[in-house]
Amino acid sequence: MSGLRSTKKAVCTTTLIVINVVIFLLLYLFGDTQNSWFMLKNGAMYPPLVIERNQYYRFVTSMFLHFGIDHLLNNMVMLGALGRNLEIEIGKIRFILIYFLSGIGGNLLSFFVSIVFHKNAISAGASGAIFGLMGAMLWGTINNKKRIGKIDLKGSWFFGIVFMIIWSIYSGFVSSGVDNAAHIGGLLSGFLVACFLWRNLNRKF
């Protein structure tokens, strides 16, 4: 029964995974999810369209699009592992705020980096929001939390998440086709939003 209750508590995480998978399957049926122009037509991020046509919705829609099954699976595994535990710890509304503000924050930093360095690329994925969950978990360890959900934060777990963050960002720098600015922006956004929300953790909302 305890496992069933935990699953119900993580309803937002489960819903986000389902939405991402359903959107991917629909796009997969009607086109090529690894084709940049097809993804662009369906809501992927592209700075020139935001600037020239005011298509600000792309800051959100791009969070639910993925380039191929590997991209989707990698992100959904991370979302399931981090999101479920974080949602149980801080509640649904706080979790949703961290997730969406991190995703948008990651896209904003990517957007500004593209403008500054004149490198426009079509991008999509939930990784900015997921890095935000990492940032929130990191704040939880710094805030002396002993446990988040079912994750014991004692000992090596803190160093584990720090290593995971560093390795993920490093891999983004040395790999092609990775929007590292979105990852860093999401990480910072999640950390900062968690700093604010954790202070009010005893309040019911």
Side-chain angles (χ1 to χ4, degrees):
M1 290 299 292
S2 60
L4 181 59
R5 286 196 294 270
S6 295
T7 301
K8 288 183 178 179
K9 288 181 181 178
V11 64
C12 292
T13 300
T14 303
T15 301
L16 286 169
I17 292 174
V18 170
I19 291 173
N20 276 279
V21 171
V22 169
I23 289 174
F24 177 83
L25 291 175
L26 288 173
L27 293 179
Y28 183 82
L29 288 173
F30 294 102
D32 182 2
T33 59
Q34 299 193 63
N35 182 287
S36 296
W37 295 109
F38 174 73
M39 297 294 280
L40 180 64
K41 288 190 293 185
N42 286 281
M45 186 65 190
Y46 189 53
L49 291 181
V50 175
I51 297 171
E52 297 167 10
R53 301 186 184 180
N54 300 321
Q55 295 181 356
Y56 301 109
Y57 63 85
R58 294 181 183 273
F59 285 106
V60 176
T61 56
S62 61
M63 294 166 54
F64 294 93
L65 305 178
H66 292 86
F67 290 101
I69 186 67
D70 289 342
H71 189 202
L72 174 74
L73 289 178
N74 289 337
N75 279 343
M76 293 305 100
V77 168
M78 291 298 296
L79 174 55
L82 295 174
R84 180 176 179 277
N85 288 284
L86 187 61
E87 183 182 347
I88 290 171
E89 178 67 26
I90 64 176
K92 297 176 179 59
I93 295 178
R94 294 181 183 88
F95 172 78
I96 287 295
L97 285 172
I98 290 173
Y99 186 87
F100 277 95
L101 291 177
S102 297
I104 293 170
N107 279 333
L108 281 170
L109 183 59
S110 175
F111 175 77
F112 287 118
V113 168
S114 297
I115 293 173
V116 171
F117 293 98
H118 305 288
K119 293 183 178 180
N120 294 312
I122 298 171
S123 60
S127 54
I130 293 167
F131 266 81
L133 302 185
M134 291 187 199
M137 298 285 271
L138 182 61
W139 170 250
T141 65
I142 294 173
N143 200 33
N144 295 318
K145 289 288 179 182
K146 303 302 182 186
R147 178 177 294 274
I148 294 180
K150 291 188 175 182
I151 297 179
D152 189 344
L153 300 181
K154 297 176 183 177
S156 62
W157 197 94
F158 174 77
F159 298 100
I161 192 170
V162 171
F163 175 79
M164 180 172 62
I165 290 170
I166 294 173
W167 176 254
S168 298
I169 293 175
Y170 169 76
S171 299
F173 277 117
V174 299
S175 303
S176 60
V178 176
D179 191 351
N180 222 25
H183 293 174
I184 295 172
L187 178 70
L188 294 175
S189 298
F191 186 88
L192 293 173
V193 174
C195 286
F196 173 76
L197 293 180
W198 232 294
R199 293 184 306 171
N200 302 311
L201 196 57
N202 293 327
R203 291 175 58 189
K204 299 291 184 180
F205 74 92

